[in-house]
Amino acid sequence: MKSSIAASCGGRIAPQSGRRRGVSLVELLAAMTAASVVMATSLGLVHRSFSFESRSRGILADERTALRLARQFRTDVHEAVTATGGPDDAPGGVLVAIGCPDRRITYRREPQGLVRRTELTTGVATREHYPFSKPVEWAAQAEGRLVSLTGTTAVAAAGQPSLALEAVAMLPLPREVGHD
């Protein structure tokens, strides 16, 4: 059948009117450009969401560490008999020394956090590290029965929250002989 049509048109196949069989180069380039714009935009959004998630995870970890430290500090002070706050330039970075009947507890500063060291009267020592993602400025104070531990980060950059921790506790009242 084709040979008779081709022969009647002088050896050429006549185009079918109204139907195209492919796409032009301009249409292909337009579709590829639109797809690349959509992909670049979505890639930027995915990158931002991962970055936000990573920052959020770091902030939550710092908050959890601060809460855990505050809880432990208050527990230590409530069990203590004596507590002394070291000066800001104390050797070894000792901020607070807490004396309990069966152990001595010290809180020392480190570049990225705080270390709680417990020395039992039997000579056994334990060490617990409280890490933070940013450097923290620590201060401690012991006035009478009131003992406080304060930590703050430097001024945060735009969009970065700062961390502030203040754990305040009171030494228990001394027990009087003959009273329960």
Side-chain angles (χ1 to χ4, degrees):
M1 177 101 179
K2 283 188 178 184
S3 60
S4 64
I5 293 175
S8 67
C9 293
R12 295 182 303 161
I13 297 179
Q16 297 176 353
S17 61
R19 291 184 103 197
R20 288 181 15 194
R21 293 197 123 177
V23 293
S24 70
L25 184 59
V26 173
E27 292 172 335
L28 184 62
L29 287 174
M32 289 176 59
T33 302
S36 64
V37 167
V38 169
M39 288 177 57
T41 304
S42 63
L43 184 63
L45 291 173
V46 167
H47 174 70
R48 270 196 167 153
S49 66
F50 281 142
S51 174
F52 179 74
E53 189 268 336
S54 176
R55 278 196 319 255
S56 297
R57 186 178 295 167
I59 292 166
L60 287 174
D62 284 348
E63 287 179 359
R64 266 193 312 271
T65 300
L67 289 172
R68 192 170 54 104
L69 173 62
R71 186 180 312 120
Q72 184 63 56
F73 180 76
R74 287 187 191 104
T75 301
D76 290 343
V77 171
H78 286 252
E79 294 175 358
V81 177
T82 63
T84 57
D88 288 343
D89 58 349
V94 175
L95 288 168
V96 179
I98 299 172
C100 295
D102 61 341
R103 65 189 179 277
R104 181 175 185 269
I105 302 167
T106 57
Y107 285 86
R108 299 175 190 268
R109 59 172 69 87
E110 279 196 352
Q112 288 292 113
L114 203 65
V115 173
R116 175 183 179 265
R117 182 179 165 100
T118 305
E119 298 170 6
L120 300 175
T121 54
T122 60
V124 177
T126 61
R127 183 178 188 272
E128 188 173 1
H129 186 237
Y130 295 92
F132 290 93
S133 63
K134 301 178 227 174
V136 179
E137 294 291 325
W138 295 102
Q141 198 170 18
E143 294 179 11
R145 292 179 38 231
L146 187 66
V147 183
S148 66
L149 177 66
T150 307
T152 55
T153 57
V155 176
Q160 295 288 325
S162 60
L163 174 72
L165 162 74
E166 185 171 15
V168 179
M170 293 190 81
L171 291 170
L173 289 171
R175 294 191 178 137
E176 296 181 25
V177 178
H179 294 285
D180 289 331

